[in-house]
């Protein structure tokens, strides 16, 4: 086995080149020279135009939409670096696609998150660096080390600066989980901000009946911060915001999430919702049609750059938090 070298090289696929460039600026290095294109029939073609022999290689590629294209780019790039005798290959996946298929919800369901983990390992990756997996247990699907970054310190810093003392009164704010499945991450965020926690519980009493929304916790006349790991079509988030205002009597509703997938009607829903502002991290590039003043992004590339430095120097990543 080739021992990894000290020279760091960062390469990017087509999913989010700007994010990789941001990491390189923080590290004080140039982005690696590689070209990822497609043949006429859609097959991915990768050309690496500089030596990587013995280097510590980091491949930056969120597997966002089109998910299958970006996943194949990642796998083929890893294979190219492996065959070019890279010392160590780290797959930097700010957003890990297929993470929602992490268990068998019913008979004959695939566990696609495990399949993708196997594919990344088989391609030749030595370790993975990612952020806010939809289910934390996905770390165990990999047979290689996984460094799992958390986005909540970024949001905590943002809201503490947005609502500074003495204006900021912990009694006037509450962190809200938009559904029962997100309670664990919302509770950790609430503890970081020293706020109370509320939950929006939605359920169907019977088949073919409308969902009934219940607000668990005191949100009356309070400023609510909805916290989740991703926003896809934004249905759950916008419905939760409506329930907080109409049923709970909330004063204002802000929302934040690590990954802004923003599929289909998401942008329009957010624009028309009770949400004052949706803050995202830039793990995924915003859609070109996103012109909403409500939707903003925080740059998380400095955190990834610090994590890459820790990996290269074999030091603990937990100090970042």
């Amino acid at each position: 086995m080739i021992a990894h070298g000290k020279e760091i090289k960062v390469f990017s696929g087509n999913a989010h080149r700007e994010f990789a460039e941001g990491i390189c600026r923080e590290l004080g290095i140039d982005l690696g020279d590689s070209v990822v294109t497609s043949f006429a029939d859609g097959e991915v073609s990768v050309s690496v135009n500089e030596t990587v022999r013995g280097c510590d290689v980091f491949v930056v590629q969120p597997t966002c939409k089109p998910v299958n294209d970006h996943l194949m780019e990642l796998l083929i790039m890893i294979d190219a670096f492996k065959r070019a005798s890279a010392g160590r290959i780290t797959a930097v996946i700010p957003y890990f696609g297929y993470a929602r298929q992490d268990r068998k919800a019913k008979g004959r369901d695939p566990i696609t998150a495990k399949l993708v983990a196997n594919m990344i390992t088989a391609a030749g990756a030595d370790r993975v660096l990612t952020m806010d997996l939809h289910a934390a247990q996905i770390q165990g699907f990999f047979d290689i080390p996984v460094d799992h970054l958390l986005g909540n310190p970024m949001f905590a810093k943002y809201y503490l600066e947005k609502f500074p003392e003495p204006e900021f009164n912990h009694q006037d704010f509450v962190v809200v989980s938009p559904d029962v499945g997100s309670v664990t991450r919302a509770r950790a965020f609430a503890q970081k901000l020293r706020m109370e926690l509320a939950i929006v519980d939605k359920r169907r009493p019977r088949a073919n009946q409308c969902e009934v929304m219940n607000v668990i916790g005191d949100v009356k006349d309070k400023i609510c911060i909805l916290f989740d790991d991703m926003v896809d079509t934004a249905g759950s988030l916008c419905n939760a915001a409506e329930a907080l205002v109409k049923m709970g009597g909330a004063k204002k509703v802000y929302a934040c999430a690590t990954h802004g997938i923003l599929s289909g009607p998401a942008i329009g829903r957010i624009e028309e919702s009770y949400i004052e502002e949706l803050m995202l991290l830039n793990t995924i590039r915003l859609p070109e049609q996103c012109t909403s003043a409500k939707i903003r992004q925080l740059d998380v590339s400095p955190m990834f750059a610090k994590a890459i430095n820790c990996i290269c120097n074999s030091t603990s990543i937990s100090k970042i938090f």
Side-chain angles (χ1 to χ4, degrees), residues 113-185:
K114 172 59 176 170
L115 173 63
V116 172
N118 288 345
M119 291 166 67
I120 291 169
T121 305
D126 295 296
R127 63 189 307 130
V128 169
L129 174 62
T130 188
M131 173 170 271
D132 279 340
L133 291 167
H134 186 64
Q137 65 265 24
I138 293 174
Q139 296 174 77
F141 291 1
F142 288 89
D143 296 324
I144 54 178
V146 176
D147 293 303
H148 187 213
L149 301 180
L150 301 175
N152 63 31
M154 295 283 294
F155 291 123
K157 182 175 183 290
Y158 172 76
Y159 285 113
L160 289 172
E161 291 174 355
K162 185 179 181 70
F163 304 108
E165 300 281 5
E167 177 188 346
F168 178 74
N169 185 335
H170 295 279
Q171 304 303 316
D172 297 334
F173 289 78
V174 60
V175 172
V176 182
S177 172
D179 52 52
V180 175
S182 301
V183 170
T184 302
R185 65 173 60 91

Side-chain angles (χ1 to χ4, degrees), residues 203-275:
R203 62 187 67 189
R204 293 181 189 270
R206 295 184 185 85
N208 301 320
Q209 283 195 0
C210 294
E211 286 183 336
V212 176
M213 310 284 281
N214 296 309
V215 179
I216 303 170
D218 180 20
V219 299
K220 187 171 177 58
D221 297 326
K222 294 189 178 182
I223 297 174
C224 297
I225 302 175
L226 281 162
F227 181 73
D228 210 349
D229 66 318
M230 66 173 70
V231 181
D232 192 354
T233 60
S236 295
L237 199 71
C238 294
N239 289 339
E242 184 176 358
L244 290 171
V245 174
K246 288 187 174 180
M247 297 176 58
K251 185 177 177 182
K252 284 185 179 179
V253 180
Y254 293 87
C256 58
T258 303
H259 312 296
I261 303 170
L262 303 181
S263 302
I267 297 169
R269 283 175 172 171
I270 293 163
E271 191 65 33
E272 296 169 5
S273 72
Y274 286 91
I275 296 171

Side-chain angles (χ1 to χ4, degrees), residues 65 231-232 260-264 266-267 280 284-292 295 297:
K65 59 184 179 183
V231 181
D232 192 354
I261 303 170
L262 303 181
S263 302
I267 297 169
L280 304 167
I284 300 174
R285 185 191 290 125
L286 285 178
E288 291 181 5
Q289 68 271 25
C290 181
T291 57
S292 173
I295 301 173
Q297 280 189 319

Side-chain angles (χ1 to χ4, degrees), residues 46-207:
V46 172
S47 298
V48 181
N49 301 319
E50 61 181 90
T51 181
V52 295
R53 185 176 294 271
C55 295
D56 219 347
V57 172
F58 294 83
V59 187
V60 181
Q61 180 83 332
T63 50
C64 50
K65 59 184 179 183
V67 179
N68 297 334
D69 292 349
H70 290 153
L71 176 59
M72 283 306 300
E73 285 183 13
L74 174 64
L75 297 175
I76 294 170
M77 289 184 78
I78 292 170
D79 183 72
F81 293 125
K82 179 183 178 183
R83 296 177 188 280
S85 301
R88 179 172 61 177
I89 303 167
T90 301
V92 181
I93 313 172
Y95 167 69
F96 183 78
Y98 284 113
R100 284 172 283 188
Q101 300 181 46
D102 65 309
R103 67 194 186 284
K104 289 186 69 171
K106 62 181 187 300
R108 296 171 296 283
D109 269 1
I111 305 180
T112 320
K114 172 59 176 170
L115 173 63
V116 172
N118 288 345
M119 291 166 67
I120 291 169
T121 305
D126 295 296
R127 63 189 307 130
V128 169
L129 174 62
T130 188
M131 173 170 271
D132 279 340
L133 291 167
H134 186 64
Q137 65 265 24
I138 293 174
Q139 296 174 77
F141 291 1
F142 288 89
D143 296 324
I144 54 178
V146 176
D147 293 303
H148 187 213
L149 301 180
L150 301 175
N152 63 31
M154 295 283 294
F155 291 123
K157 182 175 183 290
Y158 172 76
Y159 285 113
L160 289 172
E161 291 174 355
K162 185 179 181 70
F163 304 108
E165 300 281 5
E167 177 188 346
F168 178 74
N169 185 335
H170 295 279
Q171 304 303 316
D172 297 334
F173 289 78
V174 60
V175 172
V176 182
S177 172
D179 52 52
V180 175
S182 301
V183 170
T184 302
R185 65 173 60 91
R187 182 181 291 115
F189 182 55
Q191 289 172 347
K192 196 170 285 288
L193 288 173
R194 291 173 291 132
M195 295 179 184
E196 294 298 318
L197 177 68
I199 304 164
V200 176
D201 180 32
K202 57 184 180 182
R203 62 187 67 189
R204 293 181 189 270
R206 295 184 185 85

